[in-house]
Amino acid sequence: MDGVDSAVGGAGSATPAVADREDRADARSGRGSAVASRAQRLISRPWFVPAALALAYVVQVAFRLVLVASMTFPSVHPDEDAYLVLARILAGGSNTAMPAGEVLPGGYPLLITPALWLGHSAETAYRLVLVTNALLNALVLPAAYVFLRRLELGRKLAFLAAFGIALINPVVFYSQFAMTDVIFPILVLCWLFCLHAWLTPAGSTRARVWYGAGSGLAASYAMATHDRGGVMVAITGAVLLLVVVRRWVPWAAVGSMVVGLAIGIGLDRFLVDHFLARTHSIPSAVGTAVFKGLFDPSLLSRNFSRTLGQFWYFCTSTWGLGALAIVLCVAVLFGRGSSRPNRVVAGAMLATLVGVALASASGLPDDNRIDTWIYARYLTLLVPAMFAVGLAGLVRLNRTALIRAAAAALVLVAVLTVFVVVRVSPNFTNTNELFVSWGMPDALVLGGDANNLHLLRTTVVSVLLLALVVVPVVLFRRRALVPVLVCVALLAAVETVVVTEQITKPWAAERRHPAVGFMADAGITSHDNVVLNPLTDWTVERVLPYEVFHGSVWIQDPLKHLPRSANVAVVEAPTQGQPLTASWPHAPAGWYPVRALPSHGATGTPDVVVWRKR
């Protein structure tokens, strides 16, 4: 009350009424101080932070489960189908065709294997996979918390920031599908945290040994999960080589990182070999496609445009905080006074951003999809880490430094927007460009239109959100931090819910028939062994290997090669007006036609005939 006393001329000059009011105010202030003191003591208890994180983790899991309560079948083809089939094989299920046509890395299928083992049907197993996803994806919360503490945020601010980070749509969105991106952000956070601790000289040798093993294992398990992890392994190897040359880390800690890398790489090789033996498929050709596209001079302009398109999406989908984080990482990497661990980790984050964007830009096919030019998915692995760096900048930078960093971030967003509008967007107007809402959910919702991409509107909304976060901190400094972080969490939750309602659920609903309707119409059960003619609808071919949960599926012409164990065959329908038997004139004894039906939708002209063995 000293400030109030001086403002009215001192306590002695006050009237009795004023004095009474001041006494009451003093009493309230005293009670408030007592409450604040008790709260501070509670927060300082050693059990408080783990308990708060555990409770918040339960809330995060529940939030994700509510969003996917109505999801019962895969809808992102062939990725979901492929991972589900691989997990089913690991759970001891039957051999079947690979939906993707090639074997994908098995790190994620390994984690969802218990769900496939416990599920007695395709629907039940898929629901259990989504529960597993929620449990795994919500781990972003504790991972972001320890990462923010490494960035020297206090416990309260780190907790609030981590809670908001775990709610942002680029983190939650992919947990609604059986996709590797469920766990990628967690692996990246662990990788960066352990890498920083490994490089910090203040740590004991024993601790640095564990951190080295953790960093190497996180990077190599990422490679065993998706090809993007190969970029992380390459960067880890480069850092390891630099550390060995400069002798920054004890030899025991160097060896532990090598062991961590070897474990993950060995696991990747084991899983791929196991799947190749069980599916009679071919290895993934993604790496070959990346290097072929990367070193093809005729694709240089395309690759450059796609890379900057991904940067634009990354910056806008993170409300400009991703751009702020990029600016801060550049400042730490090239500025004076940065510690060695900070400089190396900042360089690793930037290298991962550029490496993944360039690799995906080079490797993605020319599939006439709009979102291929501004691909959202592949850079989401860095979203929580970059979002955390951006929020840490709000807390730690002084007013002048924050204004400069925010201004640089706005310039970066503006330059990327101009490039995308001028150089990339003309590709969107081609008549053969496909609009895939699932591939750019954040941009569509920020632009206010789930059916059209509005580049400028999306950018403006993203910049306004950045201003909403930065301006209060610039004006009111630390007093604004808690309200701003609470606002970030609320806005993140709202955006995620809107994306689920406007993108996820309509997307799945449109793909219900090929996932479950075709099987029902064709009379195919989960125990059948089915041969599908390659002319059957593409989506049906991708999803049936999983939906025929206890049986097997072959994608080949049964008229040319009929597996001995097959009891259902789907063949091309005969010319209209001909009998169903004309679809398979020389059918083996015991086979009979059941019905003709369309495979390309619930209605339409029948294009396939289902045959069954007596």
Side-chain angles (χ1 to χ4, degrees):
M1 294 300 294
D2 291 340
V4 176
D5 288 343
S6 62
V8 297
S13 65
T15 64
V18 173
D20 290 343
R21 288 195 297 269
E22 289 180 352
D23 289 341
R24 290 193 295 271
D26 284 339
R28 288 193 298 270
S29 177
R31 288 194 297 271
S33 298
V35 171
S37 178
R38 286 196 295 271
Q40 189 60 39
R41 287 198 300 270
L42 179 65
I43 293 174
S44 63
R45 298 288 177 84
W47 54 263
F48 180 82
V49 170
L53 286 173
L55 179 60
Y57 172 77
V58 172
V59 172
Q60 293 277 351
V61 171
F63 177 73
R64 286 158 171 78
L65 291 178
V66 169
L67 294 179
V68 299
S70 62
M71 309 291 286
T72 59
F73 54 85
S75 59
V76 178
H77 312 295
D79 300 65
E80 281 195 279
D81 317 297
Y83 293 124
L84 291 167
V85 164
L86 292 177
R88 195 178 75 192
I89 290 173
L90 288 176
S94 58
N95 296 350
T96 192
M98 269 303 299
E102 58 188 22
V103 169
L104 303 181
Y108 172 67
L110 182 64
L111 297 177
I112 62 172
T113 294
L116 275 294
W117 184 73
L118 292 171
H120 58 79
S121 67
E123 179 179 334
T124 303
Y126 190 73
R127 287 183 179 274
L128 290 174
V129 167
L130 295 183
V131 172
T132 306
N133 281 359
L135 294 170
L136 292 172
N137 190 249
L139 291 173
V140 167
L141 170 68
Y145 174 80
V146 297
F147 186 70
L148 286 160
R149 292 287 287 155
R150 199 77 195 174
L151 294 174
E152 300 183 15
L153 265 66
R155 285 181 294 182
K156 179 175 68 175
L157 295 180
F159 177 83
L160 291 174
F163 194 85
I165 289 169
L167 289 173
I168 56 179
N169 183 68
V171 171
V172 180
F173 178 72
Y174 296 100
S175 71
Q176 300 172 357
F177 310 93
M179 304 286 284
T180 59
D181 306 83
V182 170
I183 60 168
F184 240 108
I186 305 159
L187 292 173
V188 170
L189 285 169
C190 293
W191 173 56
L192 295 173
F193 172 83
C194 291
L195 186 62
H196 190 278
W198 181 67
L199 290 165
T200 302
S204 66
T205 298
R206 182 177 181 180
R208 296 173 81 178
V209 166
W210 284 108
Y211 286 130
S215 183
L217 184 60
S220 57
Y221 196 87
M223 190 178 77
T225 302
H226 193 273
D227 297 279
R228 283 169 288 173
V231 176
M232 294 169 58
V233 168
I235 293 170
T236 305
V239 171
L240 188 62
L241 181 62
L242 178 64
V243 164
V244 169
V245 172
R246 304 298 295 271
R247 298 185 180 180
W248 288 342
V249 172
W251 286 110
V254 170
S256 69
M257 178 173 280
V258 173
V259 171
L261 286 170
I263 291 174
I265 293 172
L267 176 65
D268 178 40
R269 189 68 260 167
F270 170 79
L271 290 173
V272 169
D273 289 343
H274 179 70
F275 295 143
L276 288 174
R278 291 291 302 275
T279 62
H280 308 291
S281 186
I282 61 174
S284 173
V286 172
T288 303
V290 168
F291 284 105
K292 183 178 179 181
L294 191 61
F295 295 106
D296 187 343
S298 65
L299 299 178
L300 182 62
S301 176
R302 185 206 69 172
N303 296 344
F304 182 72
S305 297
R306 286 180 172 185
T307 300
L308 293 191
Q310 290 183 71
F311 290 165
W312 172 84
Y313 195 100
F314 179 83
C315 291
T316 54
S317 66
T318 53
W319 311 348
L321 284 168
L324 178 61
I326 292 173
V327 170
L328 295 177
C329 285
V330 171
V332 169
L333 181 61
F334 297 105
R336 296 179 180 178
S338 300
S339 68
R340 181 186 300 155
N342 288 351
R343 197 185 300 273
V344 172
V345 170
M349 294 176 71
L350 293 172
T352 304
L353 184 75
V354 175
V356 171
L358 186 58
S360 59
S362 305
L364 287 171
D366 292 316
D367 52 7
N368 297 323
R369 284 173 47 169
I370 290 176
D371 61 299
T372 300
W373 294 94
I374 53 169
Y375 206 64
R377 177 187 165 200
Y378 283 168
L379 288 183
T380 55
L381 81 171
L382 273 171
V383 165
M386 285 293 194
F387 211 89
V389 170
L391 292 178
L394 293 179
V395 176
R396 297 190 56 194
L397 294 178
N398 61 47
R399 180 179 282 109
T400 302
L402 180 57
I403 292 173
R404 290 176 177 173
L410 290 176
V411 170
L412 175 60
V413 172
V415 170
L416 291 172
T417 302
V418 170
F419 181 87
V420 170
V421 170
V422 175
R423 293 291 303 274
V424 178
S425 64
N427 296 285
F428 302 166
T429 60
N430 295 340
T431 56
N432 64 338
E433 293 298 322
L434 301 177
F435 180 86
V436 180
S437 61
W438 181 89
M440 41 190 172
D442 313 271
L444 298 181
V445 169
L446 290 176
D449 188 349
N451 299 310
N452 292 284
L453 177 63
H454 303 279
L455 296 171
L456 292 178
R457 193 188 303 175
T458 298
T459 302
V460 169
V461 171
S462 177
V463 168
L464 290 176
L465 289 170
L466 177 63
L468 181 65
V469 172
V470 172
V471 171
V473 178
V474 170
L475 295 178
F476 304 105
R477 302 307 298 149
R478 297 196 65 84
R479 287 176 296 168
L481 289 175
V482 170
V484 163
L485 293 177
V486 171
C487 182
V488 166
L490 292 174
L491 288 174
V494 170
E495 183 192 359
T496 300
V497 171
V498 172
V499 169
T500 301
E501 295 298 323
Q502 295 187 1
I503 306 294
T504 303
K505 291 183 178 179
W507 173 271
E510 292 172 3
R511 286 150 183 81
R512 172 174 290 276
H513 180 266
V516 294
F518 177 81
M519 272 187 66
D521 294 345
I524 298 173
T525 71
S526 63
H527 289 83
D528 284 328
N529 294 317
V530 185
V531 188
L532 277 177
N533 188 294
L535 296 178
T536 309
D537 178 69
W538 181 88
T539 305
V540 171
E541 291 180 7
R542 303 286 83 77
V543 74
L544 217 60
Y546 170 69
E547 292 293 336
V548 180
F549 195 70
H550 300 287
S552 297
V553 173
W554 296 267
I555 311 296
Q556 58 195 39
D557 188 353
L559 278 66
K560 297 180 179 178
H561 180 68
L562 182 66
R564 181 176 301 177
S565 59
N567 69 317
V568 175
V570 179
V571 303
E572 187 178 1
T575 306
Q576 193 170 4
Q578 290 186 312
L580 297 184
T581 52
S583 62
W584 198 353
H586 305 290
W591 287 82
Y592 63 97
V594 178
R595 60 176 62 90
L597 71 160
S599 67
H600 298 280
T603 60
T605 303
D607 61 320
V608 296
V609 175
V610 178
W611 287 68
R612 185 171 284 275
K613 185 178 182 180
R614 289 188 176 88

